[in-house]
Amino acid sequence: MSGHLTLGGFRADLAECLFLEPGEVDLEEGPLEAGLDSLRIVTLLERWQAAGADVTFVDLAERTSFAQWWQLLTERIPGAGRADA
């Protein structure tokens, strides 16, 4: 999965941690408002690092919406975001 994280996959990862369907994830919402705690954020972070993302917990904590997380991931993973399946 290295270098291949799509927006659909990103939504699915968030939905899994938020107990939602991927289509129910509001990318304009903030992680804390959505109900993510630090343990779940670390779980997501580890998953995205395994996919090739060069991001840290601090990188995510400094951003206030899932849309900003996605923008960061697309900047830090070669090839991310180009294709959405």
Side-chain angles (χ1 to χ4, degrees):
M1 181 170 158
S2 180
H4 189 69
L5 180 67
T6 65
L7 182 56
F10 173 73
R11 280 182 172 275
D13 289 344
L14 292 174
E16 184 180 323
C17 284
L18 294 169
F19 307 104
L20 299 172
E21 294 299 317
E24 295 175 321
V25 175
D26 180 358
L27 294 182
E28 296 308 316
E29 193 167 26
L32 300 178
E33 294 82 17
L36 280 185
D37 57 28
S38 58
L39 184 62
R40 289 188 191 147
I41 293 171
V42 169
T43 300
L44 289 166
L45 179 63
E46 289 172 348
R47 184 176 298 184
W48 296 332
Q49 287 172 335
D54 180 21
V55 294
T56 66
F57 186 87
V58 173
D59 290 331
L60 294 179
E62 288 176 345
R63 286 154 178 85
T64 57
S65 73
F66 294 133
Q68 290 178 6
W69 281 14
W70 176 243
Q71 181 180 5
L72 174 70
L73 290 170
T74 58
E75 292 167 359
R76 302 283 180 90
I77 301 179
R82 282 208 291 264
D84 192 10

